[in-house]
Amino acid sequence: MTQPTQCSVFRISQVLRSGEPDTTVIIRGWVRTKREQKTFTFIEVNDGSSMAGLQVVVSDAIVGYAESIKRINTGASVEIEGKLVPSPGKGQRLEMQAIALTVHGEADPETYPLQKKRHSFEFLRDIGHLRSRTNTLSAVFRVRNACAAAVHQFFQERGFLWVHTPILTASDCEGAGEMFSVTRFDLNKLPIKEGKVDFSQDFFGKPTYLTVSGQLEAEIMAMAFSDVYTFGPTFRAENSNTSRHLAEFWMVEPEMAFCDLKGDMDLAESFLKYVFKHVMETCQEDMEFLQQRIDDSVLDTADNIINSEFARVTYTEAIALLEKSNKAFEYPIAWGIDMQSEHERWLAEEYFKKPVIVTNYPTEIKAFYMRLDDGGKTVSAMDILAPKIGEIIGGSQREERLDVLESRIRAQGLDPEVYWWYLDLRRYGTVPHAGFGLGFERLVQFMTGMANIRDVIPFPRTPMNVEF
RNA sequence: UCCUCAGUAGCUCAGUGGUAGAGCGGUCGACUGUUAAUCGACUGGUCGCAAGUUCGAAUCUUGCCUGGGGAGCCA
């Protein structure tokens, strides 16, 4: 505690960690439980700074006791000045003896939806404005915060430049998915010209969308700053109804000039190790709670990521392993297929039992910008497959040769004109370069063991859901 | 978008053609350095919506809506 002799405001995590008996402090937060006794009342106050709350003992000797206690119920907001004392009860080192108590806002127990017991995540999604006050969601969001901090720390330590790629875009980046349109048109009065919507009258003069990836712009910046990364929201208008998809999600996309596929894989692996390590160091209490209440493999998973080397196989080797597995897959195995969830899960969960990096995929099933391998049958792509959640990272060495890139754009039925600036990067000072994309929510999901991706982002956007 | 399961009290669920139930919550009381406190009483319903079958529907049929799980698409 920095100011033990002065009465001042502290976060509850500070009080619990380093509070000293006989000091007087002020805490502020929301009441989790109230237990009335004959001549005093226990209340547990949580301010979001930690899993544990502070137990406050309110004696009936304090001014306005009866009225205050009546107004204090689960969910009420309070500010309490009190003296820290060693706790005679079990479960906490310190507790607070209240001296003065202010109730900022009541929470009518007849209508407040959060009870002291466990709720289903489905129900909590219906009260998205209140669910962050629960143990599990607050633990998840603290872990999410730690992950975000670790992302920046990892790249900043390595001299990467954080680039803010645009959210509004006119390019559709390899057709990575259905895009949300952005317009200033009144949709009930669309200007029509020759039977089609006349986008020349719209804000940007052409069809515009929410970005699905910052990769192409990241490549632009990598051609000036060598190592860059993006970390921001991306959007997919896919009608995906799964526990692993969101319409709005955050992506981390590093892009490195003078880098090949091996460098890309090495960076991705050390990146994941770094983030897991950081979370284990800074959110120990939250991770232990998640281990206990959500998924009892969370700590093993983290240990596994941090301490073991990821498996690495080529696509061709992976297909051979699947063929030899003698497992009855729903989708048949053959060289050239786009691996299905069941195949990826078998590799990561049953065969390797840890993350596995699969490289050099068939050219036909990958995007045009991935670098063609010698022979042309495969490209220098890599996916990292994690147990339970599948693909967590997808990356590649980019095609830096102008002629090859142009022919690949044409081969996929795309118009090179549209990519004029992307091609210019190969005309002027092209270099081998590589990068990857990571779905941030999937990382948090993997880390926390949460079954549904909607519960690792504060305000999930999914088909038919934009409340809150 | 497809397959599948579900929707009944504030929450979690039981009820499968004949008077709408339990636990938890909430309220009141008792008891108690408690910590998902405990004990007792009380409280609580448009059975997702609409139509149909039937003497009678929470229950059977059809359509729609919403949610879960799986698949596809992908990160």
Side-chain angles (χ1 to χ4, degrees):
Chain A
M1 302 279 278
T2 48
Q3 298 172 297
T5 57
Q6 279 274 310
C7 180
S8 55
V9 177
F10 287 95
R11 299 302 300 273
I12 286 167
S13 60
Q14 285 180 286
V15 172
L16 293 174
R17 200 185 324 114
S18 51
E20 289 164 22
D22 279 330
T23 55
T24 298
V25 300
I26 293 172
I27 55 126
R28 299 156 170 168
W30 292 265
V31 174
R32 283 289 177 82
T33 70
K34 171 176 77 167
R35 295 179 291 275
E36 282 188 78
Q37 312 292 308
K38 202 170 194 81
T39 59
F40 61 95
T41 296
F42 292 109
I43 59 176
E44 189 191 326
V45 182
N46 189 290
D47 66 358
S49 61
S50 65
M51 175 63 72
L54 181 64
Q55 172 161 286
V56 179
V57 183
V58 186
S59 157
D60 63 1
I62 75 158
V63 178
Y65 174 79
E67 192 224 358
S68 291
I69 289 303
K70 205 170 179 182
R71 298 179 64 207
I72 289 174
N73 287 295
T74 301
S77 51
V78 292
E79 175 166 338
I80 305 173
E81 179 184 354
K83 191 169 80 168
L84 298 178
V85 297
S87 177
K90 283 179 183 162
Q92 60 277 317
R93 179 177 69 94
L94 285 173
E95 63 186 24
M96 172 186 268
Q97 296 278 0
I99 296 166
L101 187 156
T102 306
V103 180
H104 284 290
E106 297 175 43
D108 182 357
E110 302 254 19
T111 57
Y112 187 63
L114 287 174
Q115 304 172 2
K116 283 182 261 184
K117 62 169 191 171
R118 192 167 192 161
H119 289 103
S120 69
F121 291 118
E122 292 84 355
F123 171 66
L124 291 174
R125 274 172 227 145
D126 290 339
I127 49 166
H129 58 311
L130 299 171
R131 68 174 185 166
S132 296
R133 301 183 189 186
T134 63
N135 284 334
T136 302
L137 274 294
S138 65
V140 167
F141 295 143
R142 278 187 297 270
V143 169
R144 182 185 170 103
N145 170 69
C147 285
V151 167
H152 285 300
Q153 228 168 280
F154 175 84
F155 288 117
Q156 294 293 328
E157 281 174 10
R158 283 161 183 72
F160 282 60
L161 191 86
W162 181 23
V163 300
H164 303 103
T165 49
I167 287 167
L168 297 177
T169 179
S171 74
D172 76 348
C173 188
E174 51 138 339
E178 292 288 312
M179 303 178 81
F180 287 102
S181 292
V182 176
T183 183
R184 211 193 54 182
F185 284 153
D186 178 344
L187 295 182
N188 296 309
K189 286 184 286 183
L190 291 173
I192 306 291
K193 194 174 169 186
E194 291 160 11
K196 286 180 162 180
V197 175
D198 181 12
F199 282 101
S200 69
Q201 292 183 45
D202 203 356
F203 190 89
F204 293 107
K206 58 165 86 171
T208 309
Y209 312 94
L210 293 178
T211 186
V212 294
S213 166
Q215 183 199 311
L216 301 189
E217 286 91 352
E219 284 188 56
I220 293 177
M221 297 300 273
M223 296 300 106
F225 296 93
S226 303
D227 293 334
V228 304
Y229 69 107
T230 75
F231 184 14
T234 51
F235 307 86
R236 302 281 165 91
E238 304 282 348
N239 189 11
S240 295
N241 291 287
T242 81
S243 55
R244 302 179 308 282
H245 290 86
L246 292 164
E248 175 181 293
F249 64 100
W250 284 58
M251 270 217 284
V252 178
E253 297 175 293
E255 193 69 38
M256 295 87 70
F258 311 102
C259 181
D260 61 10
L261 187 66
K262 168 138 192 332
D264 201 30
M265 288 191 282
D266 291 346
L267 186 88
E269 181 167 347
S270 52
F271 168 78
L272 286 175
K273 285 174 155 59
Y274 185 98
V275 176
F276 270 84
K277 197 157 178 252
H278 183 264
V279 168
M280 289 306 292
E281 285 166 2
T282 56
C283 299
Q284 199 189 340
E285 190 187 28
D286 294 319
M287 290 299 286
E288 278 164 8
F289 178 86
L290 294 166
Q291 161 87 15
Q292 201 187 327
R293 297 288 287 272
I294 301 299
D295 176 355
D296 65 8
S297 67
V298 156
L299 296 180
D300 279 348
T301 298
D303 185 65
N304 198 244
I305 295 286
I306 294 167
N307 295 311
S308 67
E309 275 187 26
F310 293 7
R312 297 187 185 195
V313 290
T314 64
Y315 169 89
T316 305
E317 289 163 347
I319 290 293
L321 288 172
L322 287 160
E323 278 173 339
K324 274 192 292 184
S325 73
N326 283 326
K327 195 166 158 93
F329 291 112
E330 191 187 335
Y331 293 86
I333 314 287
W335 198 97
I337 60 158
D338 208 351
M339 275 192 261
Q340 302 293 313
S341 284
E342 57 174 346
H343 306 140
E344 296 180 344
R345 291 187 66 145
W346 182 82
L347 286 170
E349 288 168 27
E350 293 188 47
Y351 189 79
F352 290 107
K353 295 185 168 64
K354 60 181 178 182
V356 51
I357 312 182
V358 181
T359 62
N360 306 94
Y361 282 82
T363 308
E364 287 74 27
I365 60 171
K366 288 292 184 183
F368 71 84
Y369 54 73
M370 298 186 178
R371 191 178 195 279
L372 208 59
D373 291 329
D374 293 344
K377 278 184 73 182
T378 58
V379 289
S380 290
M382 63 107 174
D383 283 357
I384 301 187
L385 311 176
K388 288 182 188 167
I389 57 166
E391 186 182 339
I392 189 169
I393 282 179
S396 68
Q397 184 171 341
R398 319 305 189 190
E399 183 55 72
E400 84 281 11
R401 298 161 295 189
L402 179 63
D403 53 333
V404 180
L405 185 58
E406 270 185 324
S407 66
R408 293 218 53 216
I409 288 174
R410 285 205 179 83
Q412 299 213 355
L414 301 169
D415 179 8
E417 281 293 305
V418 173
Y419 297 93
W420 66 272
W421 50 263
Y422 192 67
L423 290 164
D424 257 10
L425 298 176
R426 280 71 182 170
R427 273 186 198 103
Y428 309 119
T430 191
V431 292
H433 61 291
F436 64 80
L438 164 123
F440 185 64
E441 282 74 18
R442 288 197 183 164
L443 175 66
V444 180
Q445 221 187 331
F446 188 35
M447 183 94 56
T448 57
M450 294 296 284
N452 197 308
I453 201 165
R454 292 159 204 207
D455 302 321
V456 299
I457 185 167
F459 307 103
R461 270 79 181 95
T462 52
M464 304 309 289
N465 181 16
V466 270
E467 198 69 42
F468 312 112

